[in-house]
Amino acid sequence: TQSVFELKNGSFKCSQIKDSNGNYITVNHDTNGVLQSVTDTLGRVINVNYDTGGQPSTVTQTWASGTHTYATFTYTTLNVST
């Protein structure tokens, strides 16, 4: 397995992972190093979508029939008493 890293906003982010058969996934980050999408050898793209607060909100993939949502994230404030 071979991994490629790129410097994004002061830290190294993995940008590609390739196996011994030549299969790979490409990991795309924005200029701030925030994960945007992952693309495999066959060109399938998984997108990470963010809410207005910058938190991940959904993980999706666009199909011919529309958008498929793999995960949805919600956030709430929780007070913890110690």
Side-chain angles (χ1 to χ4, degrees):
T1 302
Q2 179 184 26
S3 299
V4 178
F5 291 84
E6 294 179 351
L7 186 61
K8 297 279 187 165
N9 198 29
S11 64
F12 287 97
K13 303 292 183 178
C14 184
S15 60
Q16 188 176 70
I17 302 168
K18 187 180 291 186
D19 70 15
S20 59
N21 295 319
N23 298 306
Y24 63 88
I25 59 171
T26 301
V27 184
N28 300 300
H29 299 86
D30 68 11
T31 56
N32 293 318
V34 177
L35 175 63
Q36 298 297 306
S37 64
V38 178
T39 305
D40 72 1
T41 306
L42 298 177
R44 298 175 290 201
V45 180
I46 303 292
N47 297 297
V48 180
N49 308 292
Y50 295 86
D51 63 19
T52 55
Q55 299 292 327
S57 58
T58 58
V59 177
T60 60
Q61 183 178 28
T62 302
W63 294 355
S65 60
T67 300
H68 177 77
T69 302
Y70 289 103
T72 300
F73 304 100
T74 57
Y75 302 90
T76 188
T77 301
L78 179 64
N79 294 320
V80 178
S81 296
T82 58

